[in-house]
Amino acid sequence: MSKTAKPSESSQARLAVLIDADNAPAAIVDGLMAEIARFGVASVKRIYGDWTQPQLNSWKKVLLDHSIQPVQQFGYTKGKNATDSALIIDAMDLLYTRRFDGFCLVSSDSDFTRLAARLREEGLTVYGFGEEKTPDPFVSACDRFIYTEILRSKPREDNREAVPTEKASTSNRGKPKLSAILKLIEQAVEDASDEGGWANLGLVGTNLGKVRPDFDARLYGHRKFSGLVKAHSDRFEVQERDPADGSAGKAVYIRNR
């Protein structure tokens, strides 16, 4: 694969997973690794921190189960985060090996904004993972950003999910309001639609992700993007069609009402 290629989520892309232990809770590790497996193979898994500190004990208990390599980094000066520097240096070393298709940066720290941008300049895909308090610059610097709150528990099935209220959707400052997301979906449909107003749902989702890298239907109580759209039938019309190439399955199309 060319270093400038953007691998699809279904491909076996080679990924480097770098975790900032100071800014990521150990409780997400199972969901985190399962999520990363959707994007490719975690060829390198490293976690950075001062392992002499008691606050990292929760991480120590799960590292072996997931074959994550701990990297020791002492804090040289009080108030300065040497861990960030160690992670960034390793990331650049790994970048120049030209062995990876993408990076997974696990942190809620905006200090990694420039790193994410630099990796993307080299044509690599950057997946960010952080809490909903993560500053917008870091979120926007990633190709896709997943809030770790949704990795702590299994989302409900589409056929059981309830439509979240506007109050619930604004309880966390990290994710956009539901009303704002629906407007973005409408615009994405308009941009991707044919003369009849219909747009392929996959293309709509891709375009939406370019505008909001942190968009995830699970933030609004839905396992899939199609579930979110179908739950708002007052705004969208959904149609399933046989694929034009004769392949199995159904192609989903959406139109604004």
Side-chain angles (χ1 to χ4, degrees):
M1 180 180 292
S2 168
K3 71 174 183 178
T4 59
K6 294 276 187 176
S8 66
E9 292 185 4
S10 61
S11 68
Q12 291 299 300
R14 291 174 60 87
L15 303 174
V17 180
L18 307 180
I19 305 171
D20 176 8
D22 296 329
N23 283 286
I28 69 168
V29 66
D30 291 329
L32 173 67
M33 301 315 300
E35 190 77 8
I36 290 172
R38 295 176 54 216
F39 306 135
V41 177
S43 301
V44 168
K45 292 179 284 186
R46 299 177 185 174
I47 184 168
Y48 300 78
D50 184 352
W51 300 100
T52 65
Q53 300 301 311
Q55 61 265 29
L56 298 186
N57 285 341
S58 58
W59 271 113
K60 293 179 183 178
K61 297 176 182 178
V62 299
L63 297 184
L64 288 178
D65 292 339
H66 295 276
S67 299
I68 303 174
Q69 177 187 355
V71 178
Q72 170 63 30
Q73 181 59 57
F74 292 104
Y76 299 119
T77 305
K78 187 175 182 180
K80 300 294 184 180
N81 197 337
T83 298
D84 291 0
S85 299
L87 190 155
I88 292 171
I89 291 171
D90 270 12
M92 297 308 294
D93 285 344
L94 292 171
L95 166 65
Y96 291 124
T97 66
R98 307 298 183 190
R99 293 188 293 112
F100 299 94
D101 302 299
F103 280 72
C104 298
L105 304 179
V106 187
S107 179
S108 303
D109 194 338
S110 62
D111 288 347
F112 298 112
T113 301
R114 179 55 187 148
L115 172 61
R118 181 68 182 86
L119 294 172
R120 291 181 68 186
E121 287 172 2
E122 290 293 321
L124 301 185
T125 303
V126 178
Y127 302 100
F129 296 82
E131 296 178 344
E132 292 182 3
K133 66 181 182 181
T134 304
D136 286 342
F138 182 33
V139 173
S140 299
C142 300
D143 288 286
R144 183 167 181 185
F145 196 91
I146 296 92
Y147 290 120
T148 54
E149 283 84 353
I150 65 176
L151 303 180
R152 293 173 181 265
S153 59
K154 184 177 180 180
R156 291 169 292 182
E157 295 295 328
D158 282 349
N159 58 0
R160 297 181 181 179
E161 59 200 4
V163 179
T165 64
E166 185 66 21
K167 180 178 180 181
S169 70
T170 59
S171 59
N172 296 301
R173 63 179 180 175
K175 64 182 180 184
K177 296 179 181 179
L178 177 60
S179 59
I181 281 296
L182 294 177
K183 289 180 180 178
L184 287 175
I185 295 174
E186 288 175 336
Q187 184 59 54
V189 171
E190 182 68 24
D191 293 341
S193 63
D194 57 20
E195 292 183 357
W198 290 99
N200 182 279
L201 186 65
L203 181 57
V204 171
T206 298
N207 291 344
L208 181 60
K210 294 177 181 177
V211 178
R212 290 289 316 202
D214 58 344
F215 170 72
D216 195 311
R218 291 172 294 182
L219 291 170
Y220 306 94
H222 298 266
R223 189 168 62 87
K224 295 182 178 180
F225 182 33
S226 59
L228 174 61
V229 170
K230 291 176 181 178
H232 294 278
S233 57
D234 58 320
R235 304 181 71 147
F236 307 108
E237 185 178 355
V238 178
Q239 186 180 91
E240 293 187 353
R241 306 177 186 176
D242 292 325
D245 60 3
S247 59
K250 294 288 185 178
V252 180
Y253 285 77
I254 178 177
R255 181 168 67 178
N256 295 329
R257 289 194 182 276

